Amino acid sequence: MTSDATVSAIIPARNEEALVARAVDSLAAQPEIAEIIVVNDQSIDSTAAILAALAARIPHLRVFDTGSLPSGWVGKNYALSLGAERASGQWLLFTDADTAHLPYSAAHALADAQHSDAALVSYSPEQETHSWWERALIPFIFCRLAQLFSFDQVNDPASPVAAANGQYLLIRRNAYDSIGGHRAVAGEILEDVALARRAKALGHRIHFASGEGIVRARMYRSFSAMWQGWTKNLYPLIGTTP
């Protein structure tokens, strides 16, 4: 990998007025990120206005709207697919609007890709926990996930285990195209894991690691949002149903 490797960061945003500015500003501070693409997924809050103000002062930020959702697509996957279609970087960084990217994180990810010869680099972000229910439940959930998807197994090319975290998923453009992009996982709730499995099945190496010191996120700001999010994502992730 050369030092002039370029990264396109892609963020889906649906009603993210509280945090999207933090995410965009933290990405704009990364020299390796040549462009930031935010796909506004039919937001009804002030997300669009915030993005317009950000675009006025960040030259390499581009904002698009999704329009209506085609049949067979999960909304987030469609937004990410539209962003990837418009991206020009050699690497695509799919990330969420509730993330904060720490200084030198993009350089760190590119270095990890080089050292491990990986086509896909993903980090499990530091989780910001402010309320007692976040501090009680989120560590337990992530410990359980660590048992199911150990970094060593995911990173072992001989192991069939594959995983990634969509809050930070960096993939080489040609590898993304070779696995069919988000169109190949259009209806998947866990599109990050599905992409990782497709990548590993085609022989692409994965580097999956802790995001401590690289990226942080506050996934849920209320108990009801956490309950809805985990019941949607956690059951299929651990291979069971409610």
Side-chain angles (χ1 to χ4, degrees):
M1 183 184 307
T2 63
S3 60
D4 62 351
T6 57
V7 179
S8 295
I10 302 165
I11 304 175
R14 183 177 178 88
N15 298 329
E16 295 286 1
E17 63 183 6
L19 292 172
V20 69
R22 181 183 74 160
V24 170
D25 281 331
S26 67
L27 289 166
Q30 310 284 327
E32 295 77 14
I33 296 180
E35 61 182 351
I36 304 166
I37 299 172
V38 181
V39 185
N40 182 20
D41 185 11
Q42 304 182 61
S43 297
I44 59 174
D45 63 0
S46 61
T47 295
I50 292 169
L51 291 173
L54 289 168
R57 64 176 175 81
I58 301 175
H60 58 300
L61 170 62
R62 295 191 289 153
V63 181
F64 301 96
D65 295 319
T66 59
S68 59
L69 181 65
S71 176
W73 283 85
V74 170
K76 179 183 179 181
N77 298 346
Y78 183 56
L80 291 172
S81 180
L82 292 178
E85 288 177 3
R86 291 162 171 78
S88 60
Q90 299 162 305
W91 290 81
L92 305 178
L93 171 57
F94 299 106
T95 188
D96 286 351
D98 59 6
T99 57
H101 297 255
L102 304 184
Y104 312 110
S105 57
H108 188 120
L110 290 170
D112 279 347
Q114 182 179 32
H115 295 155
S116 59
D117 193 27
L120 189 159
V121 174
S122 185
Y123 301 114
S124 182
E126 297 179 26
Q127 296 299 315
E128 299 175 351
T129 56
H130 298 273
S131 62
W132 69 267
W133 44 264
E134 289 172 292
R135 290 191 291 269
L137 294 176
I138 287 180
F140 168 77
I141 290 169
F142 276 84
C143 285
R144 176 63 175 147
L145 293 177
Q147 292 174 327
L148 292 170
F149 303 104
S150 78
F151 296 143
D152 287 343
Q153 286 184 310
V154 172
N155 297 340
D156 181 0
S159 168
V161 177
N165 189 311
Q167 292 172 309
Y168 196 110
L169 196 162
L170 178 72
I171 186 168
R172 202 171 60 229
R173 180 63 195 241
N174 58 2
Y176 177 78
D177 291 339
S178 75
I179 64 176
H182 282 85
R183 185 172 297 277
V185 296
E188 296 280 354
I189 297 295
L190 302 175
E191 88 294 337
D192 44 8
V193 176
L195 287 171
R197 287 171 175 163
R198 290 182 67 85
K200 199 167 191 181
L202 286 179
H204 298 297
R205 293 193 67 134
I206 296 173
H207 178 80
F208 190 30
S210 167
E212 184 176 357
I214 299 171
V215 59
R216 62 171 62 107
R218 187 181 184 192
M219 295 177 65
Y220 305 115
R221 300 173 69 82
S222 69
F223 181 81
S224 61
M226 185 173 67
W227 181 262
Q228 181 182 22
W230 281 122
T231 52
K232 181 182 73 172
N233 296 320
L234 190 60
Y235 282 113
L237 195 58
I238 65 176
T240 186
T241 65

